Amino acid sequence: MNDITKTTKLKDIYRTPIGHDILSLIAKQIGKTGAVFKNPFIGNLTFAIIQKFAGKKVDSTLFDTLISFINSCKDEITDFGNTATSAPQPAWWKEAVFYQIYPRSFCDTNNDHIGDLPGIISKLDYLHELGVTALWLSPIYDSPNDDNGYDIRDYKKIMHEFGTMEQFDTLLCECHKRSMHLIMDLVVNHTSDEHEWFQKALHSKTDNPYHEYYYFHDGSAENQPNNWTSLFSGKAWNYYPELGQYALHLFSKKQMDLNWTNPSVRAAVIDMVNWWLDKGVDGFRMDVITFISKTAGLPDGNTTIGAMSKMYGLEHYIYGPHLHEYIRELNEKAFAPHHAFSVGEAPVIGMSMSRLLTNESRKELNMVFNFDALESGAHQRFDIYNYDLNYYRTYVIDWMEQYGSGSWMSLFFDNHDNPRMISKIEKDASYHTVLAELLCAMQLTLRGTPFIYQGDEWGIPNHSFSSMQDITDVESRNLYETLLSKMNPQEAFTKICAGTRDHARILLPWTPAEREQQSAKEEVFCFYKKMISIRTKSPSLLYGTFSVVSKKKNRFFYIRSPYPSESYSYFIECALSRKQVHKAKLPPDAELVLSNYKTRSKRLRAYEINVYRFIDRR
Ligand code: TEU
Ligand code: CA
């Protein structure tokens, strides 16, 4: 593939992996999809023409930066065929219903108001009854909890608030007894600054192998090595006067980035992963795994990109030059020999780069978590707005049809890093039950692996915080401090409440006394249980093809067609807003198998979803 230049047409840039995803990201900022670059006028523009029109408004280094980033990927996008119609290779992780547990707030059994391993063990029968077949545990390792366990101090020790290694062994054994897989969280882009490796790294900057485990750069108190900023606000460097050096942290000040160019780091990570896989763990969710390779020399980030994204330097770490090499080595020396499952967290990158990470021919990852649909349109997480499910429909159709026959989607609406999706969509709680059930049935009838986040099965909404005293998340607390330079405390608190990760980290209300609207929660639980059962028993929903029947505004009708071993097709009709919409013309003899409304109606009501099955006689 030839390198692109300033005179390459946008439509040709759109055909390169990084170019596709960058142009899609730019389109998203104006509420469009990348398809806009197939438009003859727009597709024939070039960076040179744009530069001419934009003049001084756009710094010329921006296009140079984009061109070198796009040219840094030498992989071709081979046509991997149409995801929606291919017959995939069966695998347990394609059929699984995953449930993400954030141990700190899942279930507490010793009244310290912190979830623990005995709490998880005590709920395995509940999860088995729901129909869950695989668990993903957010980090349970020893940690000072600056970022609630995503700052690991000892990879082979259990956090004392959660319990003991013996209790973990019991948990793993009890999962397997119930034919449930268990995957852990692999956080190896960084360690805690209290990790033994980092503590040894501080001893001296010469003749010290551990010093090369991290990114240390010479400097003085004023001039840090580059302009990179942390995703948790502020600069991405700590200064150590005793060494006269800075060390890199893309996240909190206590999460120090590992230097993956160092073969000793890669070997130490591989050793640790094998240690857990030898214990019988079934795989890992890999925390910001796409950040592990950085541009050599850690050069300054482009100021225009930094100002737009608030992440100065991101073009130098979101998809670095050796990323595929490192992941392939990890797969070859740890995951593949154990037939272990891997899902990589992949912030910022889009479908093309994700395809190169997950296509089976690449022997890298089984799946990724893509975040393009976590916010609708050009919105960011801390914006105060109503998420538009029409955006989700466009996104999921695009991925269902373009991702490629050798790649497999993860399907999720919630996780521990985001406010609850039902509250993003609707601020009026009276819609939350039907909305929770709409999201459930979409997630479990689309093609891919569903990841249910703890509490989704009760339709848990956002929490109401009364002041910043209630907010514990380091990302939110840091952001609040920076906001105070631009707005008053009340405005800053309101903005934090719109996007804080704390919404997803409130202890689950297990006892009826703790549960408001207990009957609504039980209704949502029963709906989840039924929908999971329908999916689990239906190869068409697991592996069948996907085709769109209607994608008109506020509607989403689609068909899942039989997988060879089954006769039934499924027809799903959804209303994506409060507005009533015309119903679909159903296939003959369609039988309603699940609805989130108890009565029937001529039109689809607010957030109504109906799942039908039928024999396709066409
Ligand atoms: O998150 C990576 C990440 O980029 C998140 O901060 C995300 O961008 C944002 O919070 C909203 O989506 C992973 C973990 O999931 C997160 O909990 C950790 O704080 C972070 O890495 C550092 O380990
Ligand atoms: Ca506890």
Side-chain angles (χ1 to χ4, degrees):
M1 179 172 60
N2 303 327
D3 280 0
I4 68 146
T5 66
K6 270 191 176 172
T7 56
T8 307
K9 289 185 167 49
L10 294 186
K11 65 185 178 187
D12 296 326
I13 295 177
Y14 190 64
R15 272 199 279 274
T16 65
I18 296 183
H20 173 281
D21 290 3
I22 286 182
L23 292 179
S24 302
L25 212 50
I26 292 169
K28 176 174 160 66
Q29 301 317 310
I30 52 174
K32 302 275 183 217
T33 69
V36 73
F37 294 101
K38 292 178 181 164
N39 164 297
F41 171 70
I42 295 177
N44 283 312
L45 292 176
T46 67
F47 284 160
I49 295 170
I50 297 168
Q51 174 87 67
K52 210 158 139 230
F53 280 137
K56 293 263 175 288
K57 283 199 218 88
V58 171
D59 76 274
S60 63
T61 59
L62 169 65
F63 295 113
D64 300 336
T65 303
L66 291 180
I67 288 167
S68 60
F69 183 30
I70 291 164
N71 289 334
S72 69
C73 175
K74 296 304 173 206
D75 295 288
E76 292 278 351
I77 303 185
T78 319
D79 175 17
F80 298 117
N82 180 330
T83 311
T85 55
S86 62
Q89 288 298 322
W92 72 260
W93 46 270
K94 292 180 182 173
E95 303 177 18
V97 176
F98 273 90
Y99 186 93
Q100 181 194 353
I101 289 179
Y102 192 73
R104 194 161 204 84
S105 54
F106 181 67
C107 177
D108 170 31
T109 56
N110 62 345
N111 284 325
D112 63 359
H113 306 293
I114 299 172
D116 43 55
L117 296 188
I120 301 173
I121 294 168
S122 74
K123 297 300 177 189
L124 288 181
D125 287 334
Y126 160 88
L127 293 168
H128 194 244
E129 185 207 344
L130 178 60
V132 164
T133 63
L135 299 184
W136 153 27
L137 296 191
S138 275
I140 58 171
Y141 318 98
D142 175 46
S143 163
N145 287 307
D146 190 56
D147 184 18
N148 282 355
Y150 281 93
D151 48 319
I152 295 172
R153 181 166 50 200
D154 185 338
Y155 288 102
K156 297 184 182 176
K157 197 168 156 226
I158 302 297
M159 191 186 305
H160 75 272
E161 300 99 307
F162 290 165
T164 65
M165 187 58 81
E166 292 67 33
Q167 287 169 334
F168 171 78
D169 293 339
T170 303
L171 170 60
L172 181 62
C173 174
E174 290 300 319
C175 283
H176 288 166
K177 269 190 206 160
R178 294 165 176 83
S179 309
M180 291 162 90
H181 290 93
L182 182 102
I183 70 169
M184 306 274 276
D185 213 310
L186 183 67
V187 187
V188 289
N189 172 69
H190 46 266
T191 72
S192 166
D193 64 347
E194 296 182 25
H195 191 287
E196 178 198 19
W197 297 343
F198 192 79
Q199 288 303 307
K200 286 182 174 172
L202 292 174
H203 288 167
S204 83
K205 59 184 178 182
T206 51
D207 306 326
N208 174 4
Y210 288 100
H211 197 69
E212 309 317 311
Y213 271 42
Y214 298 88
Y215 288 102
F216 280 94
H217 279 225
D218 289 338
S220 63
E222 298 69 43
N223 66 333
Q224 65 179 45
N226 63 26
N227 67 347
W228 294 13
T229 50
S230 158
L231 277 86
F232 291 169
S233 305
K235 299 295 181 192
W237 296 93
N238 287 340
Y239 186 58
Y240 297 90
E242 67 280 15
L243 294 173
Q245 287 192 316
Y246 285 86
L248 177 70
H249 64 85
L250 290 178
F251 290 95
S252 89
K253 289 186 171 310
K254 287 179 68 63
Q255 293 170 291
M256 308 315 293
D257 280 60
L258 281 167
N259 175 2
W260 273 73
T261 65
N262 182 343
S264 307
V265 166
R266 302 201 298 271
V269 168
I270 287 166
D271 167 71
M272 177 269 289
V273 171
N274 279 319
W275 187 82
W276 282 102
L277 294 176
D278 288 346
K279 282 175 74 72
V281 162
D282 297 296
F284 286 92
R285 173 266 189 189
M286 301 158 86
D287 190 64
V288 278
I289 197 67
T290 46
F291 284 16
I292 58 176
S293 171
K294 277 84 170 169
T295 305
L298 310 187
D300 267 358
N302 175 274
T303 50
T304 307
I305 295 174
M308 278 186 334
S309 65
K310 313 272 185 307
M311 292 157 68
Y312 284 80
L314 92 155
E315 68 271 26
H316 296 304
Y317 59 78
I318 57 166
Y319 191 78
H322 299 286
L323 176 61
H324 293 293
E325 183 190 317
Y326 297 157
I327 290 180
R328 219 168 278 145
E329 181 185 12
L330 194 49
N331 182 48
E332 194 185 302
K333 295 180 180 171
F335 284 81
H338 291 85
H339 306 291
F341 167 71
S342 60
V343 51
E345 187 199 24
V348 188
I349 70 169
M351 187 197 307
S352 284
M353 295 194 258
S354 299
R355 182 188 294 124
L356 291 171
L357 287 164
T358 60
N359 187 277
E360 285 154 357
S361 64
R362 307 270 299 177
K363 302 197 184 322
E364 295 186 24
L365 300 172
N366 293 130
M367 279 196 270
V368 291
F369 288 133
N370 170 264
F371 293 155
D372 288 353
L374 276 176
E375 308 303 336
S376 59
H379 289 294
Q380 306 294 324
R381 176 156 47 98
F382 288 92
D383 288 354
I384 297 165
Y385 78 106
N386 287 350
Y387 185 98
D388 180 358
L389 278 171
N390 286 286
Y391 179 85
Y392 181 75
R393 181 202 54 230
T394 306
Y395 163 84
V396 85
I397 291 173
D398 195 30
W399 277 69
M400 289 269 147
E401 295 179 348
Q402 307 295 328
Y403 195 22
S405 52
S407 290
W408 191 256
M409 276 191 87
S410 60
L411 296 162
F412 63 98
F413 288 108
D414 287 316
N415 62 25
H416 64 291
D417 284 335
N418 288 278
R420 296 277 179 173
M421 182 56 86
I422 59 172
S423 294
K424 285 185 195 174
I425 298 165
E426 269 294 352
K427 312 307 180 215
D428 178 343
S430 67
Y431 291 99
H432 281 170
T433 297
V434 286
L435 190 47
E437 294 170 355
L438 166 67
L439 299 185
C440 164
M442 270 209 287
Q443 184 182 31
L444 285 140
T445 54
L446 285 167
R447 195 179 210 230
T449 298
F451 285 76
I452 297 166
Y453 182 63
Q454 64 181 42
D456 281 350
E457 77 275 18
W458 294 340
I460 289 197
N462 277 352
H463 190 74
S464 52
F465 299 104
S466 48
S467 75
M468 274 308 290
Q469 274 59 48
D470 297 340
I471 303 289
T472 59
D473 175 22
V474 61
E475 178 195 45
S476 294
R477 298 193 64 79
N478 289 357
L479 178 61
Y480 177 75
E481 292 309 318
T482 57
L483 289 175
L484 290 178
S485 61
K486 293 178 235 165
M487 55 186 80
N488 69 46
Q490 185 49 44
E491 289 163 339
F493 173 61
T494 304
K495 192 164 178 63
I496 292 299
C497 288
T500 183
R501 304 188 296 180
D502 277 354
H503 285 300
R505 304 177 176 187
I506 306 295
L507 257 180
L508 291 188
W510 288 101
T511 56
E514 290 170 291
R515 271 197 230 163
E516 299 133 28
Q517 298 169 342
Q518 185 180 347
S519 61
K521 287 180 168 55
E522 276 159 11
E523 181 194 324
V524 177
F525 177 86
C526 291
F527 187 93
Y528 262 83
K529 188 176 167 185
K530 276 185 215 147
M531 186 62 246
I532 291 172
S533 171
I534 292 167
R535 177 184 186 274
T536 306
K537 293 184 189 116
S538 157
S540 288
L541 291 177
L542 297 177
Y543 292 115
T545 59
F546 163 86
S547 55
V548 181
V549 172
S550 169
K551 52 185 178 182
K552 283 195 184 117
K553 186 155 176 53
N554 296 328
R555 293 160 56 135
F556 186 17
F557 304 159
Y558 52 94
I559 285 182
R560 297 298 311 280
S561 300
Y563 190 66
S565 66
E566 187 187 14
S567 56
Y568 281 113
S569 295
Y570 286 81
F571 187 99
I572 297 97
E573 58 178 4
C574 319
L576 300 181
S577 75
R578 295 183 182 184
K579 292 188 181 69
Q580 293 203 9
V581 292
H582 289 299
K583 295 189 81 166
K585 184 176 176 317
L586 293 175
D589 313 326
E591 173 202 351
L592 182 66
V593 291
L594 191 64
S595 173
N596 59 348
Y597 277 77
K598 292 181 178 51
T599 58
R600 303 283 57 84
S601 155
K602 283 200 176 44
R603 290 161 62 87
L604 286 182
R605 293 152 287 187
Y607 305 114
E608 181 169 355
I609 185 162
N610 298 312
V611 181
Y612 302 87
R613 73 177 185 181
F614 65 103
I615 305 285
D616 195 341
R617 302 185 198 290
R618 282 177 296 173

